[in-house]
Amino acid sequence: MKYPIILTILFGSLGLHGENLVTNPHLLPSNGEPDGYILEGDTTYSDLTRLRKETTGHGIRLLSGKDINKDKSIVGSVSTTVTTGIPQDSGRWLRFRIRGLAQEGFRVENDELYLKAGFFAQNGKVPLDHIQTRIYGLIERERNDLRDPGTNRKLGPATWRSYSLDFRTPFREIDTIRLTAGFSNGIGKGDNAEFLINEIELIPIPTPLKYASTKSPPPLVNTSLKEMIHIGGRWYYNPGDGSRKLPELFNHRNADRLIYASNRPIAPFTNNMTSWLRAGWVDRNGKIADKDRFVPDNLNIRITGDSLAFHSRNLPNHPTAIFPDIHRAVDGNPNRIQEKDNTWYIPLKPRENKDRKAMDKRNTNRALPQGPIGLAVNGVIFFNPFDHINEADAVWRMDRCCGHPSPTSAYHYHKYPVCVKTPWRDEGEEHSPVIGFAFDGVPVYGPYEAKGELAKSSRANPLNDFNIHHDEKRGWHYHVTPGQYPHIIGGYWGKIDERNRRRPPARNNIGPRPPGQRPGGRRPPQERSRRIPSPRIR
Ligand SMILES: [Zn+2]
Ligand SMILES: [Zn+2]
C-alpha cells in the first residue's frame, strides 16, 4: 500500500494534538544504551554534546562511510516501538518526526536515507503493512538551496532540522507501530560522513487538508474561517467545540486555537511554546543552571487592544553550540544563553509606514535598529544581519542553528533559522510557511516561493530591498533569503509598536574575529579587550 507524502494540514478537525507517543524521545541512556531503541548495522550511540560541542544531548550516528560491523555493506538504522496511545480506529493521522543533521560528508546512493513506519497486530507479532519516505533528496536539495557562503567554515553549512513522515493508520487491528530511521548504500567519505539524530517523535496530527474529505473537494479557507472568531487583521480564534469567548492567554495547551489566515488557516505557534533551560545556561535570576529544566511557558500570547503581546523567555527549543564558546567551535563568543523576560507587541493589523526605508548595504542609514526586530514562532528574537556597525554580516559567527547569544546573553538569529520546528513541513515543494513575525506585524515566510523556486530568485514576483513582496492570498509578506543579504528582513514595511523600543538597548553580539577576516568598522575599545571566561560549563 502506498501513501502520498502530505504537505498541508487542516487545523481543528481533530481538536488538540501534539502528545508524543514515543516514550524516550530524547534517546536518553539506560546502562549506556538508548532506552527503548534498537541499533542495527553501521550505527553508533553516544553523547553527541561531547562529540560535537553542541547542546545536543545523546543521539544516534548513522555512519555512511564506515563498515564498522564488517559485513561488507554500509547500512544502518535505529528503530523504536510504540505500543500505547495508538488510535483505536483506522484513518487517524500521525506524524513520525526526527530531528537530524546531515554532516557534509554524509552520502548515500539511490536516495537510500529513509523514515519508515511499520504496522503490527496481535501485540506486535503479526506484521500488516508499512509506509516509508526517502529523505536524501531533500538533504541534497537543501545543501544547494540553503547554502550560505558566509557560514562559519569550521562548522560547515550543515544545520539541524526536522524530517517527517505523515501517515494514517491503515487498519483498526494495529496495536504496535515500529518507527525506523535508516540508510543503505552508504558512500560517504571522511570523519563527517554521518547523519546525526537526537530526537524522535510520533504525534497525532489533524487530518491534512486535502484528505479531510475524499468525496468532496477540500473546504475553502473562507468556509473554515467563518466558523472562527475574528480577532483583528488576519488573526482568528478557533473555538472548536469549546467556549466562543476569547481566552485570556494562549499557551502550549491552546496554541492550536490561535489562527493566522495565510493562504489557508494556520496555527503558527503550535508545538513551539515550550523549551528547556539547559545546564550551563543562565536563569532569570542570573544563576547558572546545573541541570536541564523543562520550561512549559517559554512563550505565551495575550491579545491586548489591537496588538498581540508576546511574553517570551527567549530559550531556543533546538540544539545550540555550547556558550560561552570556550572550545572556539564558532568564534569564541564569550556570552552565555540566558532566560529572558521579554514582552513584545506586534499589531494585529499591520499599519502603513509612509516613512519606510530599507537598509543600505551596511545599514549606515540605520533603517533597522541593532537588537531585536521580530521573533520566530518559538519566541526567539530576530536581529538584523550585523553584529556591530559596518561588519559585512554576522553569518560566520552563528552556531549550526543560525543563532548565538548577544553580550546581554539574548540568543538571536541573524538569518533563516532552519532548526526552528514550525508546525509544517518546508521542503521546497510549494510556497514556504510562516516562520515568524517582524515587529511591524508582517509575517516572515521561509525561503521558497514555489516548487523549485527560491523567493530570492523569483522573477515573476521579485522581493524588494525590504525582502518583501505581495500576493493575493498572503498579502504583503517577507521571505528569508539564505546566502543573500539582508537574510531576514531589509527594513520595516509597516509601523512598529513603540513599546518594543522602550527597553534597555540589547546590543548585537561583539565577539572576537577569526584570523584573516577584516573588520568593516571600528570596534568600541571596551569590547576589544573582552576575554573568554575560564571554562566552567557544567
Ligand atoms: Zn512569497
Ligand atoms: Zn549576533
Side-chain angles (χ1 to χ4, degrees):
M1 196 180 296
K2 208 172 163 218
Y3 294 80
I5 301 311
I6 305 313
L7 298 161
T8 55
I9 56 177
L10 170 76
F11 286 85
S13 61
L14 276 183
L16 295 170
H17 59 277
E19 188 203 357
N20 188 3
L21 307 182
V22 172
T23 47
N24 181 16
H26 300 287
L27 299 119
L28 299 176
S30 161
N31 298 324
E33 299 294 321
D35 202 11
Y37 289 88
I38 294 168
L39 271 59
E40 282 179 289
D42 303 312
T43 307
T44 62
Y45 171 74
S46 63
D47 182 349
L48 301 177
T49 302
R50 218 164 290 157
L51 189 72
R52 295 289 149 200
K53 302 183 173 54
E54 280 176 321
T55 61
T56 315
H58 283 79
I60 301 294
R61 299 160 71 196
L62 302 178
L63 307 171
S64 75
K66 270 189 204 138
D67 183 14
I68 56 168
N69 66 349
K70 303 269 187 276
D71 67 349
K72 297 203 166 60
S73 59
I74 303 187
V75 178
S77 68
V78 56
S79 50
T80 189
T81 300
V82 175
T83 53
T84 52
I86 296 170
Q88 288 303 294
D89 44 353
S90 63
R92 296 294 286 269
W93 284 85
L94 295 165
R95 171 172 297 163
F96 168 26
R97 185 187 75 81
I98 64 167
R99 192 196 296 277
L101 183 146
Q103 303 267 37
E104 298 92 90
F106 181 81
R107 295 262 184 293
V108 295
E109 271 180 330
N110 304 328
D111 203 12
E112 285 285 352
L113 174 67
Y114 62 87
L115 299 179
K116 179 171 152 184
F119 307 111
F120 299 81
Q122 295 180 29
N123 297 321
K125 284 193 205 84
V126 181
L128 295 176
D129 197 1
H130 74 271
I131 169 173
Q132 165 168 332
T133 185
R134 296 180 184 198
I135 58 175
Y136 188 68
L138 174 62
I139 289 168
E140 287 279 272
R141 178 163 60 207
E142 293 198 335
R143 279 174 175 164
N144 186 42
D145 286 354
L146 308 186
R147 175 183 295 280
D148 190 330
T151 302
N152 186 302
R153 263 170 241 137
K154 223 181 324 171
L155 297 177
T159 58
W160 286 95
R161 65 156 294 156
S162 292
Y163 300 92
S164 53
L165 165 67
D166 292 356
F167 60 90
R168 56 183 154 188
T169 51
F171 309 106
R172 194 180 283 272
E173 296 79 10
I174 292 168
D175 56 25
T176 303
I177 299 178
R178 185 182 299 151
L179 305 171
T180 306
F183 76 101
S184 57
N185 296 319
I187 49 164
K189 294 245 154 50
D191 283 343
N192 66 357
E194 58 192 14
F195 184 83
L196 311 178
I197 300 171
N198 82 331
E199 204 175 289
I200 296 187
E201 274 181 3
L202 182 67
I203 45 176
I205 57 167
T207 305
L209 185 59
K210 53 183 159 178
Y211 292 83
S213 163
T214 50
K215 294 209 174 75
S216 58
L220 294 170
V221 167
N222 289 344
T223 318
S224 41
L225 284 178
K226 266 184 198 152
E227 288 148 26
M228 300 180 199
I229 292 156
H230 188 217
I231 303 174
R234 288 172 166 263
W235 295 93
Y236 290 79
Y237 166 55
N238 180 9
D241 303 329
S243 163
R244 297 188 66 82
K245 196 167 153 253
L246 194 63
E248 253 175 51
L249 185 77
F250 289 98
N251 58 20
H252 69 99
R253 289 194 189 86
N254 61 357
D256 62 338
R257 304 285 191 201
L258 181 58
I259 304 296
Y260 181 80
S262 180
N263 58 321
R264 57 180 180 265
I266 57 168
F269 307 100
T270 309
N271 290 331
N272 255 320
M273 296 178 99
T274 63
S275 191
W276 289 80
L277 180 73
R278 298 291 179 190
W281 295 4
V282 182
D283 70 14
R284 279 182 302 166
N285 306 316
K287 224 179 129 231
I288 297 174
D290 54 4
K291 56 174 191 281
D292 293 353
R293 176 163 63 77
F294 183 64
V295 178
D297 57 349
N298 189 47
L299 179 64
N300 283 336
I301 304 172
R302 285 173 206 276
I303 312 295
T304 59
D306 55 3
S307 305
L308 291 156
F310 293 85
H311 182 259
S312 170
R313 299 185 190 275
N314 204 57
L315 296 169
N317 56 353
H318 51 66
T320 68
I322 290 173
F323 296 106
D325 183 20
I326 50 165
H327 306 290
R328 297 196 68 91
V330 194
D331 65 340
N333 187 319
N335 310 300
R336 286 179 194 272
I337 297 174
Q338 183 170 18
E339 180 180 25
K340 296 291 178 184
D341 227 333
N342 291 333
T343 305
W344 310 113
Y345 299 90
I346 70 165
L348 286 161
K349 191 171 182 182
R351 293 177 288 249
E352 195 178 347
N353 176 9
K354 290 215 172 79
D355 307 320
R356 62 181 162 234
K357 57 180 179 186
M359 293 185 295
D360 55 28
K361 275 294 164 227
R362 295 194 175 265
N363 197 23
T364 48
N365 61 354
R366 307 307 294 262
L368 282 176
Q370 299 296 91
I373 54 170
L375 75 174
V377 291
N378 61 355
V380 173
I381 42 187
F382 293 137
F383 277 20
N384 74 34
F386 300 97
D387 254 345
H388 53 99
I389 303 165
N390 293 343
E391 185 182 52
D393 67 40
V395 166
W396 70 270
R397 293 182 186 281
M398 290 181 292
D399 66 21
R400 296 202 290 187
C401 274
C402 317
H404 62 182
S406 72
T408 58
S409 305
Y411 193 83
H412 59 274
Y413 309 118
H414 289 279
K415 64 167 187 170
Y416 174 35
V418 188
C419 303
V420 173
K421 175 185 69 170
T422 63
W424 320 278
R425 292 156 169 273
D426 188 6
E427 300 181 351
E429 295 291 333
E430 58 178 352
H431 194 286
S432 286
V434 171
I435 63 155
F437 292 86
F439 282 163
D440 58 4
V442 178
V444 180
Y445 282 72
Y448 291 100
E449 179 60 14
K451 184 179 168 74
E453 185 187 38
L454 287 159
K456 69 176 182 179
S457 36
S458 170
R459 293 233 177 103
N461 190 4
L463 299 173
N464 64 17
D465 290 347
F466 293 78
N467 257 9
I468 203 170
H469 66 189
H470 183 275
D471 73 38
E472 217 164 89
K473 292 175 186 162
R474 297 170 189 83
W476 288 102
H477 60 282
Y478 301 106
H479 275 277
V480 293
T481 49
Q484 185 175 301
Y485 182 82
H487 300 286
I488 303 178
I489 71 172
Y492 293 125
W493 189 250
K495 272 202 178 122
I496 74 154
D497 193 310
E498 288 303 316
R499 285 174 289 184
N500 293 330
R501 293 195 213 259
R502 241 180 281 142
R503 59 191 66 254
R507 290 169 304 162
N508 290 13
N509 177 59
I510 301 167
R513 191 177 299 278
Q517 191 120 2
R518 306 205 67 191
R522 205 162 278 175
R523 198 183 294 170
Q526 73 272 18
E527 299 293 352
R528 217 172 276 159
S529 58
R530 189 182 291 275
R531 288 278 177 273
I532 298 171
S534 54
R536 45 176 183 136
I537 288 188
R538 50 189 75 220

